[in-house]
Amino acid sequence: MTQAARVALIVAHGQPSDPGPAAAEIAALAGKVAAHLPGWHVASATLAEPEALARAIASAAAPGIVYPLFMAGGWFTRSNLPRRLAAAGGAGWRIAEPFGTDPAVADLVVTMAREALAEAPAPAILLAAHGSFRSPAPSDVARAMADRLSRDLGLPCEAGFIDQEPTISSVARRMPGALCLPFFAARGGHVIDDLPAALEEGGFAGRVLQPVGLDPRAAALMARAIRAL
């Protein structure tokens, strides 16, 4: 493996209104991923931090791999990220497929739901996702995940969205006692603020799991995807 391939940069959207906490969380995640990649330099940056991407690119010893900490391959990963990367001096870097499109991550989502249901059975699953008004890609990934959960676990499962219909609150009204699985890569404002507000609005009374990207097993999956490029 070449030296250029031994540099990885985890890039997330971040929190534009308050970039610091999200940046710190992604930096901590980069450390966990690095533990699974001996000999690699693993850094992080959020698009919400001014100049963070340029600083990370400039500090790298050689061009490497950008790992998008996103749940789908929509506008941010297909258009915005390559443009931002080129503007930051990273035109020679390779971009991996987004976190949420990895088949191993879909397997993890099923495992998380199965484990939670074994601890506390629920009549249905609410897959809480972001959605998008720019592209159908985020909702397509979430709906495919909901279909698989229903098929593998034998329970009704429906995706609800923050940015499109059906909203999380509307699905929560139909599934008030469901298991809620947040289909998010990190703990940003959507998970901290928008999701609880939507569930409260919908009268949700079920259990809410941590986001997929915060599962302790996620870092190893990210490392495996980076190593495979």
Side-chain angles (χ1 to χ4, degrees):
M1 185 174 292
T2 66
Q3 178 64 31
R6 301 184 73 85
V7 178
L9 176 62
I10 299 174
V11 177
H13 185 275
Q15 184 68 20
S17 61
D18 187 15
E25 180 180 321
I26 304 307
L29 174 62
K32 295 176 183 177
V33 173
H36 297 279
L37 291 171
W40 288 66
H41 173 70
V42 183
S44 65
T46 71
L47 298 179
E49 292 177 280
E51 304 304 321
L53 190 58
R55 288 196 303 269
I57 293 295
S59 66
I65 294 167
V66 170
Y67 184 84
L69 195 63
F70 292 81
M71 296 308 295
W75 178 81
F76 264 104
T77 58
R78 301 303 187 203
S79 299
N80 191 41
L81 180 55
R83 177 181 61 80
R84 295 279 295 270
L85 192 61
W93 290 58
R94 289 183 290 163
I95 302 177
E97 289 300 309
F99 171 72
T101 64
D102 187 343
V105 171
D107 293 341
L108 175 61
V109 172
V110 174
T111 298
M112 290 173 63
R114 181 176 285 117
E115 291 172 348
L117 291 167
E119 294 175 0
I125 301 170
L126 192 172
L127 190 74
H130 189 285
S132 173
F133 60 87
R134 292 181 183 270
S135 166
S139 59
D140 288 347
V141 171
R143 289 190 174 105
M145 189 71 251
D147 288 344
R148 179 172 173 190
L149 284 166
S150 181
R151 183 174 64 252
D152 287 8
L153 300 179
L155 289 175
C157 180
E158 187 172 350
F161 303 99
I162 288 174
D163 270 5
Q164 66 182 78
E165 297 288 340
T167 62
I168 293 170
S169 59
S170 66
V171 176
R173 289 188 190 96
R174 296 194 296 272
M175 298 179 165
L179 172 70
C180 177
L181 203 163
F183 195 59
F184 290 88
R187 193 202 330 268
H190 292 308
V191 172
I192 295 171
D193 300 319
D194 298 336
L195 176 57
L199 292 175
E200 182 178 4
E201 180 183 345
F204 188 75
R207 180 182 177 188
V208 182
L209 300 185
Q210 65 182 338
V212 178
L214 269 61
D215 186 278
R217 294 162 286 197
L221 301 185
M222 296 176 199
R224 187 169 74 182
I226 291 168
R227 193 186 300 113
L229 288 181

